[in-house]
Amino acid sequence: MASTTLTPTTSRTYRDFQRPRWQRMLLTREMAVVAALIGVIAFASVAVDNFASSITYTYLFLDVAAILLIALPMTLVIVTGEIDLSVASVVGLSSVLTGTLYQAGLPFAVAALLAIAAGAVAGAINGFLVTVVGLPSLAVTIGTLALFRGLAVGLLGTTAITDFPDSWRDLVTNKIPGTPVPAIIVLVVVLAIVFGWLLHFTPFGRGIFAIGQSKEAAHFSGVRVGRTKLILFILSGTVAALAGIYYTLRYGSARGDNATGLELSVVAAVLLGGVSIFGGRGALHGPIAGALLIGAMASALRLASVTSDVINVITGTLLILSVVSPSLLAWAQSRRARRRGKKEGEDPASADPRPAQAADATVARRSTMGEEEQ
Amino acid sequence: MTAPPAATPAAPALVLDGVAKSFGPVVALRSGSLTLRPGSIHALIGENGAGKSTLVKIIAGLYQRDAGTFEYLGEPVDFGTTAESKGAGIAVIYQEPTLFPDLSVTENVFMGRQPTLSLGRIDKRAMRAEVVALFEQLGVHVDPDRPTRGLSIADQQLVEIAKAMSLDAKVLVMDEPTAALSGVEVERLFGVARALRDEGRALLFISHRFDEVFDLCDTVTVMRDGEYISTSAIADTTVDRLVREMVGRDVTDLFPKTVAPVGDVLLEVEGLTRTGVFHDVSFEVRAGEIVALAGLVGAGRSEIARAAFGVDPYDAGTVTVAGRRLAGGDPAAAMRQGLALIPEDRRRQGAVLDSGIARNVTLTIRDRLTRAGVLTSAAENASAREWAARFEVRAPSLDTLAGTLSGGNQQKVVIAKWLATEPRVLIVDEPTRGIDVGTKSEVHRLLSDLAGQGLAILMISSELPEVLGMADRVLVVHEGRITANLTREEATPEAVMYAATHDVEVAR
Amino acid sequence: MTLTDAPDRAATSSLGARALALVKQREVGVLAAFILVVAVTTAKNPNFLFSNDGFRDLLVTPSLLMLIAVGQAMVIITRNVDLSVGSVMGLTAYLVGTVFVDMPWLPWPLVFLIGLAFGGLLGLINGAIVAFAKVPSLVVTLGTLYAFRGINVMWTGSDRINASDMPRDFLDLGTSAIWRIPIITIIALVVLAAAGWYMTTQRGGREFYAMGSDPDAATLYGLNVRRRLITAFVVSGALAGLAGVLYAARYGTVNSQVGSGYELQAVGAAVIGGVAIFGGSGTVFGAAIGAFLLMTINRSLPVLGVQDFWQQAVVGALIIGAIVLDSLAARRQERTLAKERERSHG
Amino acid sequence: SSGDSGSESSESAGGGGGDSMSDANLAITFLPKNLGNAYFDTSNSVGGASAIEEFGGTYEEVGPAEATPDSQVSFINTATQQGVGALVVSANDPAAICDALNEARDAGVKVVTYDSDTNAECRDIFINQATAEGIAQVQVDMIAEQIGDAGQIAILSASANATNQNAWIEMMEEILAADHPDIELVETVYGDDDDQTSFDKTAALLQTYPDLKGIISPTTVGISAAARYLSTSDAKGEVAITGLGTPNQMREYVEDGTVTEFALWNPADLGYLAAYAAKALIEGEITGAEGDTFEAGELGSYEVGADGTVLLGEPYRFNADNIGDFDF
Ligand SMILES: Nc1ncnc2c1ncn2[C@@H]1O[C@H](COP(=O)(O)OP(=O)(O)OP(=O)(O)O)[C@@H](O)[C@H]1O
Ligand SMILES: Nc1ncnc2c1ncn2[C@@H]1O[C@H](COP(=O)(O)OP(=O)(O)OP(=O)(O)O)[C@@H](O)[C@H]1O
Ligand SMILES: [Mg+2]
Ligand SMILES: [Mg+2]
C-alpha cells in the first residue's frame, strides 16, 4: 500500500520513550529486587559466619534450582493473566514415574524422557481445560494440583524408590570444575536464555503481553490466544517434570510427596520479581532475582541459626512490600501534585500551566501551531 | 431548531472556572470554564482530547481538579467521590457505558441506592416497577431481569440513560450519549431531554454530531486543547464558525468522496449464517469500492463483520478474499489473505490500552518486523513513528499508553495498526464513532484514498449522512438479514430507513 | 398500558424460568451430588449415615471448612481471594489454646469472641492493605499466608496444646449435639444463614456482587468499594478465626500446623459450589454445599474401599468435574439469553 | 521452645564454627523429623539438652515445620557449613538425606541417627530405641491381650514413607500371621503424624469396619488422636487402642478408660543417649565399629552392636497403675 494515504500537514516528531534509557533500565521493580539480592548477600557475607564461603553458593544454587526452573515458564503463564498451581504436583508425579519406570528396568534416560513426556501431557490437560473448555486456570490448577499429587502418591504408596545411577546423580549435583556452581545451573541458564528470548524478543512474546493486557484486543489483532496459552501450559508442565527429575536425582529418592507446597514458593518468587498477577507486565530477570533472594535469605538465616519460620515471615512481608511500595509512591506523588495545584487554585492569576508541565505543554502547543500554520 | 424558552436567564446551576487537571505528564485540562443554567440544554463540543470528558469527570467528582473554581447552586463545592455529586443532584452519563455484567438490568439502575424495607431489606418489586415505567417512557425494549452481559453497546447506552433519568437530578450531564445510537433512539432520547429541560433542569450534552447539537441545544461551549474557547447561543452561531473554533482552522468538506475505478471482486460473502444473530447474508465488495452496511443499531452488522473476519464463529456460509476461501474463526489466516477489521469498540477490541502506541501499532505486523528470530523495540518504534506522524497522533512519545489517549487519538492508533498490515480488503465498523470533525474528515479522505488505491472497503456506520456521503453501494441490514442493496443513486435517506425497518427486499 | 403489560408478564415468567434454571445449574446440582455420595456410601455401609458417630461426623467434619468457605466465597464474589485463611485459623487456634493455658479462670464462651475478634483483626490487615494500597489480594494474602504461619511457628515452636489443657465442657462442644445436630454444625449453619441473608437482601451484599462484576464501574458509581472490600476480608478472617476456635474444641490438640492447606480447600469448595473465581456471581450457600461435598467425598472413599493413597486424586478429579459441569451449565444459560435477545429484537 | 534455644545458641554455634578444627568441638545439633512434635520435644530439649549440659557442649535444635526429607537436607547442609561437632538426626527418608549426611561427615561432622535410621553407610551410629522385633512384639501382645486374641484390627501409622513405622508394621504382620491366627489385620491407614488427619482417619476406620476390635498406632501423634476420637464416640469401650504414646498425651485417656495400656521407651533417655554417643564420636572415644563401648552419664555404659547400632532397651508398658509416675 503506497504511503500516500495521508499526506501529513505537519511532520510531528515523537520521542521513543518518555524516560531516558538508564531510568528505564534501573528504576524498575526488577532492579529493586536485584539490588535487594546484592544487599542481602553483601550483608550476610560480613555479618553471618560461614556465609562467605563458596560452599554456601553451591548449596544455595542446589536449593533454588527447582524453583528457578519452574519460575521461568510460570512467569510467561502469569504474564498472560493465567496461573499454574499444579507444578509442584507435576514435580512429584514425574519423580515417581522416573522412579517406577527405572525400577521396572528401563534405562534411566528413557525413564526420565517418559516422565518429561508425562509432564507435557499434564500441562496439556491444564491447557486444554483452560483454553478449549474455557475454565479459569486458578480453579483448574487447584483441581489438578490435587489430581496429579494424588496420582503420584497413589502410584508409589509407602515405598520410596532409591539408588539411582551415580553417574546421573553426579551429573546434576557435581560442581562445574573450578567454580562452586553445580552443573544443574547450566540447564537453568540455558532455559533462562531461551525463555527470555521467547518472552522479550519474539512475536510470540509480544502476543503473550498483548493477551495479558487485553485478551479481546489481542484476539481481534490476530493473536492466537488459545494456542499461545496451551503452549505455555505445556511448557510449564514439561519444565516442572524436568525439575521433578532434578529433585529425584538430587535427593536420590523418588517419592510421591516430593516438593509438596513448592507451587507457592514459585509463585512467591515470580510475584516478588515484579510480575503482575493480573498479567501484562513483568520481565524474566525479576523472578530469577526473586527466587535467588528468597534462597539467599533462607540460607543466611539458617546459618545464623534463626529458625526456618522467620524466613516465611520475611518472605511474606517482602512479597507484600514489593506490591505495596509502588502504589505508596504513586499516592505520595499525587498528594504532592494535589497540594501544589490547590495552592495555585487559590490565587486567580494562575490559569497558565505550571512549570512542572511546561515540557508537555509545549508538545501540545506545537501540535496546535502546526494545525494553524496552513 | 429550538430556541431557549426562558426569556430571563435563571441563576446558573453550575459554574466551573479555570479548572485544570493533569495526569502525571499529561495535561488533560488546562483551563476549563462552563456555566450551566436551569431550563437549558448546553452543548459542549471540541476535538478529541479537548478535555470534555475530563471536565465531566471533574463535575462528577471522579477526578479532583488541580486548580480553578467549581460552584454548584451558588455554593463552592469539592466533590470527593461520585457518590457526593450524585447526592447533590448531578446525574452523569459517561462516555463509556459502565454496567455490572453479572447483575440484572434493574439492579444496575438502582445499585447503591435501592429502595429498602424494614431491616434494610431491598424492595425488589418497587425497583422493578420503577424500571418498567422508565423503560416505557424511554421506549426501551430490554428485559429488566436479564443480566446486562451481552447487551449491545446501544442497549447498554440506553440502560445508562435510564439510570441517569431515574436519579431525578437537577443537572444531567451526557458525554456522547448518542455515539452508539441511531435515528430512532436518538429522537426518543431528545424527546426526554427536552421534557427534562422544560421541567427546569440543566442539561449538558456532549456530541461530535453538529446536526444533533443544533437540533437539541440552545447554548454551545467550545473547547480546544483543554482550554475554554467560547460560549454562544446556538441561534447566533454557525457550523463553520464552531468548526473553526474547535479545530483552529477551516475544514474542507466532510465527505471528500472521489469515485474510483471499480475492479474485480475482492471480498465475497456467501450465505453467511449465525443462528440467533444473522441469517443467509450474501454480498460482494470489489476493488476500489466503498460498500456501506447500514441499518439500525442491533441489526447485527458488527456480528456479520466479526464473523467474516473470523473473530466470531459462524454456522454456515463461506467468506472468500481475492478468490481464496477463508477458514472460519481464524483472524490470523484472514489477515494473511489481506483482510483487516477495524472493530466497533476501540477501547476493548481495537487498542491494547495498557500498552504503548508503538506496541499497539506493530502488534499486527510483529512477525514482519522480526529479523533472524529477534524482534526489537527499535524495529517497532521505527515502523510506529511513521504511522503516528502520518496520523498526527497527539502524544509526547511512542511508549505513551494507548489508554491515556483521548477517544479520537485512540481511533487513529487503531486505524494505523490495521493499515500497517497493508490489507487488500478493509472492514471498518463505526470508523468515526466519537470522533471530532477534524479527524472525521481526515478519516473519510483516508477511506476514499484507500479505495482509490484499489482497496475494497466495507464500512459499517449508524450515521446516515456518512453512509450516503461515502458509499458507492449501500447494503441495508434488518434483524440480521440484508433487506436492500442500493446503488449510490438509489440510496436516498428514505429508501435506506425504509429497508432498515422492513423485512421485504426493496431493491433487486 | 396493555402495551407494557404483555412484555412485563413475559419478563416475569422468564424471570421465574431463569431463576429456576439458575438454581438447577448450581447449588441444587452440587447438593444432588452430595446426597448421591452419601446415599451410595451408606448403601455400602449403613454406619456411614445411621450410626451415631457416622451421623455426627457427617455433619461435624465439613463444618469447619464450611465456615471458611463461606468467608472465602464472600471475598471471591468481590473478585478477590483470601489465601491466608489457613494460617489465620492456625494462629487463632493456638491463641485460644494459650488463653486456656494462661488464664484458666476465663469463662470459656469468651474465647469465641476472642477468636472472632483476633481472626477479624488479621482479616483487617489483609483488607486494609488490599483496599488502601490497591494491590492484588492474591499477592497480599499469599504474603500473609507465609507471614501468619511463620509467626505461628515462631510462637508455638515445638510446643503444643493438649486436650488436657482445655476445659472439658469446651471440648465437649466438639462432640455434643442438640436434637442429634452437633453444636459445631449448628454454629456453622447459623453463620451461613446470616451471610446468605446479608448477601441477598442487603445493599452491602449486592454491592459485593457489583464490585466483583466490574470494579471500575463500582468506583464510577461512587460505591464505597474500600469499605466493602475491608468488610469482606474482615468477615473471612473472623470466620477463619471461629473455625480455629472450633478446631481446638473438636480436635483437642493444637500445634503449629493447624489449618495448613485449608486455603486451597476453601477455594476449591467455593468453586465446586459454583462461585465464579472472577467474582460477581455465585452464592455462599453453594460454597457451603461445596465444602460438605468435598469433605464427605474424602471420608466416603475409604468406606467405598478406595485405597488411602488415591483419595487426593479422586478429590482433584471431582473439583475439575464440578467446574466443567458448571461451565457447561453457564453455556446453556448464555444460549437461552441469546434466544431471548432474538425474541426481544424480533 | 526451639525458638529460644535457636537464638540462645546462635552465637555459641558460631563459636563452635569458629574452632571447628579443634578436636573437642562439642557443638551438637539435633534435627528431628519436624518441630512441634511432643515426642521429639522430650527427646531433644529434655534428654539431649540435659546430657549436653552435663558434659558442657552447646545444644541446638533445628528442624522443618513439616516432616519432609528435602527440608531436612537444607538443615543438614547448614550444620555442615557451621562445622558443628555432631549432628543427631531422625530421618524422614532413609535415602533422601544420605548424600547430605555423607557430605557432612566428609567435612568432619559426626552423624548420629536416632528414632528413625538412614541407610547404614550414611551415619556413624544409630541409637535404636528398641529392637524392631521388641517394638512389634510388645504392640501385638498388648492388642492381643486387650481384644482376647481374636477379631479385626487396623493400624494407624505415621506418614507412608516413615522408615521405622514401616519396619515395625512389617514385623507385626509376620508375628500376627505366625502366632495369632484369629486376629485379622484389615487395613493400614496413614495419619501423616498430623493430629487432624489421624483423627479423621480413625473416624473413617471405625465406620468402615463396624466389627473392628482394636487399633494399633505405632506413633505418638496417631495414638493420641485416635484415643481422643474414641473417647467421645460410641465405640468407646468396644474398640481397644494401643501402640506407642507419651504418658502426658495419653494420661486422660488412660484415666477415663478409653485406653488400657500402651508402650514406649523413654524418649528423654533416647535423646540423652544420642547426645552421649555424639560426644563419644567427637572425642574419638568410639568410631561406631561393632564392640566399641562408651559411658552415657547416668544411663551407664553402652556397647555398639552390629552395623553401628546402639540399643536403648526394651519398650516400657504404661497403664493406669504406673502412668502417674511419669511426666514426659
Ligand atoms: N486517565 C488519564 N490518564 C492520562 N491522560 C488522560 C487520562 N484521561 C484523559 N487523558 C488525556 O487528557 C486529554 C483529554 O481527554 P478527554 O477524554 O477529556 O478528551 P475528550 O474531549 O473527551 O475527547 P473525546 O472527544 O475523544 O472523548 C487527552 O489528551 C487524554 O490523553
Ligand atoms: N457483546 C455482545 N454479546 C452478545 N450479543 C451482542 C453483543 N453485542 C451485540 N449483541 C447483540 O447482537 C445483535 C447486534 O448488536 P450490535 O449492536 O453489535 O449490532 P450492530 O448492527 O453492529 O449495531 P451497532 O450499530 O452497535 O454496530 C444485537 O441483538 C445485540 O443485542
Ligand atoms: Mg470524551
Ligand atoms: Mg456494531
Side-chain angles (χ1 to χ4, degrees):
Chain A
M1 185 184 72
S3 60
T4 62
T5 48
L6 257 187
T7 41
T9 48
T10 59
S11 60
R12 189 190 288 268
T13 60
Y14 299 90
R15 276 178 281 133
D16 276 0
F17 302 98
Q18 264 156 345
R19 303 186 305 166
R21 180 175 210 79
W22 68 271
Q23 279 191 4
R24 277 179 290 119
M25 286 284 155
L26 298 181
L27 302 188
T28 63
R29 287 271 294 285
E30 290 76 16
M31 278 307 163
V33 182
V34 174
L37 173 61
I38 296 171
V40 166
I41 292 180
F43 176 79
S45 304
V46 285
V48 179
D49 292 308
N50 310 312
F51 187 91
S53 69
S54 73
I55 187 77
T56 306
Y57 295 92
T58 314
Y59 287 143
L60 172 59
F61 284 127
L62 283 173
D63 284 347
V64 295
I67 297 182
L68 276 176
L69 281 172
I70 303 173
L72 297 173
M74 181 71 83
T75 304
L76 275 61
V77 171
I78 293 184
V79 169
T80 62
E82 303 291 345
I83 193 165
D84 183 354
L85 291 178
S86 70
V87 281
S89 301
V90 175
V91 170
L93 187 57
S94 96
S95 170
V96 166
L97 283 175
T98 318
T100 34
L101 293 173
Y102 176 67
Q103 203 179 32
L106 289 179
F108 183 84
V110 180
L113 282 177
L114 287 175
I116 292 177
V121 173
I125 294 175
N126 286 331
F128 173 83
L129 289 171
V130 171
T131 58
V132 181
V133 187
L135 302 172
S137 55
L138 185 59
V140 166
T141 54
I142 284 177
T144 47
L145 167 92
L147 177 61
F148 298 151
R149 179 64 69 186
L151 291 177
V153 177
L155 277 173
L156 214 45
T158 65
T159 51
I161 295 169
T162 56
D163 60 56
F164 290 91
D166 287 340
S167 53
W168 282 91
R169 304 198 50 196
D170 299 345
L171 203 60
V172 298
T173 50
N174 276 10
K175 303 190 190 70
I176 302 168
T179 69
V181 181
I184 182 68
I185 293 304
V186 177
L187 178 65
V188 175
V189 170
V190 170
L191 284 183
I193 292 171
V194 172
F195 278 101
W197 166 75
L198 203 56
L199 179 61
H200 294 296
F201 295 101
T202 64
F204 185 75
R206 294 293 190 271
I208 293 177
F209 279 103
I211 293 171
Q213 287 161 339
S214 169
K215 197 155 153 283
E216 193 171 3
H219 178 47
F220 270 82
S221 310
V223 177
R224 295 205 159 102
V225 178
R227 203 178 66 175
T228 308
K229 287 183 178 175
L230 183 60
I231 292 174
L232 290 183
F233 274 102
I234 293 176
L235 283 176
S236 171
T238 314
V239 175
L242 209 57
I245 291 161
Y246 164 71
Y247 236 82
T248 315
L249 289 176
R250 185 192 172 194
Y251 297 113
S253 147
R255 299 163 47 111
D257 63 354
N258 266 349
T260 306
L262 194 74
E263 66 275 351
L264 291 188
S265 318
V266 173
V267 173
V270 172
L271 298 181
L272 187 57
V275 178
S276 161
I277 191 67
F278 296 137
R281 88 175 279 312
L284 202 64
H285 59 290
I288 296 175
L292 289 171
L293 177 60
I294 296 177
M297 281 192 315
S299 125
L301 288 166
R302 269 199 310 270
L303 275 170
S305 303
V306 182
T307 38
S308 55
D309 336 309
V310 182
I311 296 159
N312 290 346
V313 181
I314 295 179
T315 310
T317 319
L318 265 182
L319 199 53
I320 296 173
L321 282 182
S322 72
V323 285
V324 169
S325 49
S327 37
L328 281 182
L329 284 175
W331 177 74
Q333 283 169 353
S334 69
R335 278 289 303 282
R336 229 180 297 116
R338 281 284 300 290
R339 243 184 276 101
R340 232 198 291 102
K342 280 268 174 292
K343 253 189 260 81
E344 285 156 8
E346 259 72 272
D347 63 282
S350 68
D352 56 312
R354 302 182 273 295
Q357 291 148 348
D360 315 83
T362 47
V363 176
R365 286 247 178 280
R366 200 186 319 111
S367 63
T368 41
M369 301 292 199
E371 283 161 347
E372 275 145 8
E373 267 154 23
Q374 35 79 68
Chain B
M1 298 293 113
T2 42
T8 54
L14 179 148
V15 180
L16 290 149
D17 187 27
V19 172
K21 175 72 182 175
S22 44
F23 302 90
V26 188
V27 188
L29 200 55
R30 216 168 296 285
S31 67
S33 301
L34 183 68
T35 303
L36 297 187
R37 296 183 183 284
S40 129
I41 303 181
H42 194 120
L44 177 61
I45 60 174
E47 278 188 287
N48 297 118
K52 305 183 294 294
S53 298
T54 308
L55 197 68
V56 167
K57 287 171 182 168
I58 287 174
I59 295 175
L62 183 68
Y63 296 161
Q64 280 68 41
R65 62 190 190 280
D66 298 336
T69 60
F70 180 0
E71 282 185 10
Y72 176 61
L73 303 176
E75 299 293 314
V77 285
D78 228 335
F79 296 131
T81 70
T82 55
E84 292 176 23
S85 65
K86 222 186 261 176
I90 299 178
V92 179
I93 299 171
Y94 298 96
Q95 188 167 5
E96 282 78 23
T98 56
L99 298 171
F100 303 114
D102 298 294
L103 299 185
S104 76
V105 171
T106 309
E107 281 204 273
N108 265 282
V109 173
F110 283 97
M111 180 51 65
R113 47 190 191 84
Q114 301 93 331
T116 54
L117 306 161
S118 61
L119 300 171
R121 281 173 301 128
I122 294 170
D123 184 348
K124 300 205 169 76
R125 310 190 123 283
M127 270 189 349
R128 191 166 187 290
E130 195 165 334
V131 170
V132 171
L134 260 172
F135 280 7
E136 187 193 349
Q137 182 191 1
L138 289 171
V140 180
H141 294 299
V142 180
D143 173 0
D145 304 307
R146 68 162 285 173
T148 53
R149 163 171 290 118
L151 280 180
S152 70
I153 298 179
D155 293 345
Q156 291 178 26
Q157 196 60 266
L158 290 172
V159 175
E160 284 288 342
I161 292 166
K163 211 166 71 191
M165 299 293 164
S166 72
L167 268 170
D168 173 41
K170 298 193 187 62
V171 174
L172 173 58
V173 179
M174 300 182 282
D175 191 350
E176 302 193 26
T178 55
L181 305 187
S182 62
V184 191
E185 290 100 343
V186 172
E187 262 322 308
R188 228 185 254 108
L189 171 63
F190 284 8
V192 176
R194 293 194 183 94
L196 290 170
R197 176 197 61 196
D198 300 341
E199 292 172 15
R201 304 173 199 272
L203 285 77
L204 179 65
F205 178 77
I206 299 179
S207 172
H208 289 293
R209 301 183 187 166
F210 287 101
D211 53 344
E212 293 177 356
V213 170
F214 277 81
D215 177 10
L216 179 68
C217 307
D218 45 55
T219 325
V220 56
T221 292
V222 181
M223 292 183 63
R224 191 201 316 155
D225 287 328
E227 306 216 21
Y228 169 86
I229 300 296
S230 75
T231 300
S232 44
I234 285 289
D236 24 344
T237 186
T238 66
V239 176
D240 295 348
R241 213 178 98 202
L242 291 178
V243 170
R244 213 175 303 106
E245 290 178 335
M246 274 174 57
V247 187
R249 63 183 154 89
D250 294 296
V251 175
T252 48
D253 72 317
L254 245 181
F255 304 112
K257 173 67 182 161
T258 55
V259 180
V262 172
D264 38 13
V265 177
L266 285 186
L267 173 65
E268 186 175 9
V269 172
E270 194 55 53
L272 206 63
T273 300
R274 183 181 180 191
T275 27
V277 186
F278 52 81
H279 317 271
D280 187 25
V281 172
S282 307
F283 60 86
E284 55 182 46
V285 185
R286 297 173 168 277
E289 233 186 354
I290 297 183
V291 174
L293 211 51
L296 302 183
V297 167
R301 299 161 300 170
S302 295
E303 280 64 19
I304 295 171
R306 295 213 289 260
F309 183 61
V311 288
D312 285 2
Y314 50 85
D315 305 326
T318 64
V319 179
T320 318
V321 174
R324 291 269 211 75
R325 186 180 162 177
L326 293 184
D330 184 357
M335 287 163 67
R336 271 198 304 281
Q337 290 305 312
L339 185 58
L341 167 67
I342 297 175
E344 152 183 51
D345 181 345
R346 64 171 165 265
R347 293 185 69 85
R348 280 178 47 245
Q349 306 166 338
V352 181
L353 298 181
D354 295 342
S355 181
I357 292 175
R359 290 283 169 95
N360 266 286
V361 172
T362 55
L363 182 59
T364 47
I365 53 169
R366 58 197 197 287
D367 291 304
R368 206 183 309 150
L369 295 177
T370 309
R371 297 274 168 277
V374 175
L375 174 59
T376 62
S377 306
E380 291 173 316
N381 290 334
S383 136
R385 177 175 292 102
E386 222 179 284
W387 287 104
R390 186 175 298 164
F391 285 93
E392 303 231 299
V393 177
R394 190 168 296 176
S397 67
L398 293 175
D399 65 348
T400 309
L401 294 188
T404 65
L405 297 175
S406 77
N409 284 301
Q410 279 173 5
Q411 187 71 344
K412 289 178 178 179
V413 170
V414 175
I415 295 176
K417 152 184 165 180
W418 282 107
L419 291 187
T421 65
E422 304 181 0
R424 279 186 289 184
V425 180
L426 182 63
I427 307 177
V428 287
D429 193 350
E430 309 288 359
T432 61
R433 172 179 290 175
I435 286 189
D436 63 72
V437 277
T439 322
K440 202 169 194 167
S441 65
E442 285 174 23
V443 171
H444 289 152
R445 186 178 300 104
L446 169 69
L447 288 179
S448 43
D449 287 357
L450 292 171
Q453 292 156 30
L455 266 75
I457 297 179
L458 180 67
M459 181 181 79
I460 300 174
S461 171
S462 304
E463 243 184 288
L464 205 46
E466 187 168 71
V467 170
L468 301 180
M470 295 304 299
D472 299 290
R473 273 191 304 127
V474 180
L475 302 168
V476 187
V477 182
H478 172 61
E479 284 171 14
R481 284 197 172 71
I482 292 191
T483 52
N485 180 346
L486 311 168
T487 64
R488 190 170 173 76
E489 293 66 34
E490 301 166 330
T492 62
E494 298 69 25
V496 173
M497 283 324 286
Y498 182 83
T501 46
H502 294 68
D503 286 334
V504 289
E505 284 263 331
V506 285
R508 289 258 173 86
Chain C
M1 223 37 242
T2 48
L3 253 175
T4 51
D5 269 355
D8 196 335
R9 225 183 290 103
T12 27
S13 66
S14 78
L15 163 66
R18 200 182 301 117
L20 201 72
L22 213 72
V23 174
K24 259 205 202 68
Q25 285 153 11
R26 301 174 187 275
E27 288 75 7
V28 170
V30 190
L31 189 59
F34 171 68
I35 293 170
L36 183 74
V37 170
V38 175
V40 171
T41 320
T42 313
K44 179 100 183 324
N45 175 346
N47 289 354
F48 189 75
L49 181 56
F50 295 122
S51 74
N52 283 339
D53 288 355
F55 185 71
R56 186 186 69 203
D57 294 343
L58 182 68
L59 295 179
V60 171
T61 315
S63 295
L64 298 184
L65 181 61
M66 171 175 147
L67 279 172
I68 293 183
V70 167
Q72 188 67 259
M74 291 174 76
V75 173
I76 293 179
I77 284 171
T78 66
R79 196 180 286 192
N80 284 282
V81 65
D82 184 353
L83 292 181
S84 70
V85 280
S87 305
V88 172
M89 177 179 172
L91 203 46
T92 317
Y94 190 70
L95 175 87
V96 168
T98 36
V99 165
F100 280 128
V101 174
D102 300 346
M103 354 180 179
W105 44 265
L106 207 68
W108 62 263
L110 214 62
V111 302
F112 277 85
L113 299 184
I114 297 178
L116 277 168
F118 185 68
L121 185 72
L122 297 180
L124 180 64
I125 297 177
N126 289 329
I129 297 177
V130 173
F132 286 101
K134 298 202 176 56
V135 291
S137 54
L138 192 139
V139 187
V140 172
T141 54
L142 180 59
T144 45
L145 170 135
Y146 278 109
F148 294 161
R149 178 67 61 190
I151 294 170
N152 190 355
V153 183
M154 279 162 67
W155 181 20
T156 318
S158 63
D159 186 17
R160 73 191 284 127
I161 309 286
N162 289 320
S164 49
D165 305 330
M166 293 184 261
R168 169 107 330 263
D169 39 11
F170 173 70
L171 293 170
D172 288 344
L173 277 182
T175 48
S176 54
I178 301 174
W179 310 304
R180 303 201 59 230
I181 309 291
I183 304 245
I184 291 188
T185 311
I186 294 176
I187 295 175
L189 289 176
V190 170
V191 169
L192 172 63
W197 183 78
Y198 178 77
M199 291 300 278
T200 46
T201 70
Q202 296 294 296
R203 281 187 184 178
R206 302 318 296 168
E207 292 183 12
F208 279 28
Y209 283 92
M211 287 162 53
S213 203
D214 183 340
D216 305 341
T219 336
L220 270 181
Y221 267 66
L223 301 186
N224 194 336
V225 174
R226 206 169 264 172
R227 194 166 109 224
R228 301 292 171 222
L229 250 177
I230 294 179
T231 316
F233 277 98
V234 169
V235 170
S236 168
L239 291 185
L242 182 57
V245 178
L246 296 179
Y247 180 100
R250 164 92 169 133
Y251 295 104
T253 42
V254 178
N255 66 7
S256 61
Q257 292 308 303
V258 169
S260 59
Y262 257 72
E263 53 279 346
L264 293 190
Q265 276 190 315
V267 177
V271 168
I272 290 179
V275 176
I277 201 80
F278 289 131
S281 73
T283 68
V284 289
F285 301 108
I289 305 172
F292 263 82
L293 182 57
L294 200 56
M295 290 310 243
T296 307
I297 288 264
N298 248 335
R299 290 179 46 254
S300 67
L301 288 175
V303 179
L304 294 175
V306 178
Q307 199 206 9
D308 213 14
F309 308 116
W310 294 99
Q311 292 178 17
Q312 214 176 352
V314 178
V315 170
L318 175 84
I319 294 182
I320 293 167
I323 50 181
V324 168
L325 287 180
D326 207 37
S327 78
L328 294 184
R331 295 252 176 87
R332 200 172 345 106
Q333 191 194 6
E334 282 287 316
R335 251 182 272 111
T336 49
L337 279 182
K339 289 213 184 62
E340 267 171 34
R341 184 162 54 229
E342 221 178 337
R343 258 190 272 107
S344 66
H345 279 262
Chain D
S1 89
S2 72
D4 354 319
S5 70
S7 51
E8 137 226 303
S9 58
S10 56
E11 67 286 336
S12 51
D19 61 1
S20 61
M21 287 312 105
S22 92
D23 43 33
N25 167 20
L26 289 180
I28 299 176
T29 298
F30 275 71
L31 177 53
K33 283 182 177 176
N34 63 329
L35 298 179
N37 181 326
Y39 170 81
F40 288 113
D41 212 21
T42 318
S43 64
N44 303 352
S45 42
V46 177
S50 56
I52 293 171
E53 200 167 324
E54 285 173 21
F55 59 72
T58 53
Y59 164 83
E60 182 176 353
E61 183 190 38
V62 298
E66 280 132 12
T68 59
D70 42 342
S71 48
Q72 267 184 321
V73 166
S74 307
F75 287 97
I76 297 169
N77 292 344
T78 308
T80 314
Q81 288 166 267
Q82 292 171 325
V84 296
L87 192 58
V88 183
V89 187
S90 171
N92 280 325
D93 182 296
I97 64 171
C98 257
D99 287 9
L101 288 179
N102 281 327
E103 284 173 30
R105 295 167 74 199
D106 298 344
V109 179
K110 302 299 179 194
V111 173
V112 179
T113 56
Y114 73 125
D115 173 64
S116 169
D117 196 8
T118 61
N119 303 345
E121 66 273 13
C122 323
R123 43 80 175 164
D124 298 300
I125 279 189
F126 171 50
I127 307 297
N128 196 351
Q129 50 271 47
T131 60
E133 297 79 358
I135 296 170
Q137 190 63 54
V138 72
Q139 296 186 79
V140 173
D141 292 348
M142 287 190 296
I143 202 73
E145 292 164 16
Q146 294 175 24
I147 67 172
D149 201 2
Q152 293 185 337
I153 65 164
I155 294 177
L156 170 67
S157 180
S159 77
N161 298 70
T163 330
N164 42 356
Q165 269 85 4
N166 287 341
W168 301 332
I169 291 171
E170 203 172 309
M171 238 156 242
M172 284 193 269
E173 286 165 346
E174 290 168 9
I175 299 173
L176 284 169
D179 316 340
H180 304 276
D182 302 340
I183 297 182
E184 177 198 4
L185 175 55
V186 287
E187 191 180 357
T188 302
V189 296
Y190 300 87
D192 300 333
D193 267 350
D194 169 73
D195 292 307
Q196 188 185 350
T197 320
S198 312
F199 191 92
D200 294 336
K201 288 287 167 75
T202 311
L205 273 180
L206 290 177
Q207 270 159 41
T208 318
Y209 304 102
D211 308 334
L212 199 66
K213 280 269 169 293
I215 297 178
I216 301 177
S217 182
T219 160
T220 59
V221 179
I223 191 173
S224 61
R228 164 130 180 80
Y229 181 86
L230 195 64
S231 66
T232 66
S233 106
D234 296 352
K236 175 176 176 178
E238 312 287 310
V239 179
I241 287 194
T242 187
L244 307 177
T246 66
N248 283 354
Q249 277 180 277
M250 300 303 291
R251 185 164 282 109
E252 68 169 304
Y253 308 116
V254 172
E255 283 162 358
D256 73 9
T258 312
V259 174
T260 335
E261 195 173 42
F262 63 95
L264 196 67
W265 49 91
N266 184 334
D269 291 351
L270 183 64
Y272 188 89
L273 177 57
Y276 267 98
K279 169 172 178 289
L281 285 166
I282 294 171
E283 292 172 341
E285 184 182 342
I286 58 169
T287 62
E290 184 161 8
D292 287 355
T293 59
F294 65 97
E295 284 300 320
E298 59 203 26
L299 288 181
S301 157
Y302 280 83
E303 177 172 356
V304 180
D307 53 37
T309 306
V310 177
L311 184 59
L312 175 64
E314 281 308 305
Y316 183 88
R317 293 188 183 200
F318 302 91
N319 51 40
D321 311 333
N322 62 17
I323 193 165
D325 315 340
F326 299 90
D327 179 21
F328 64 84

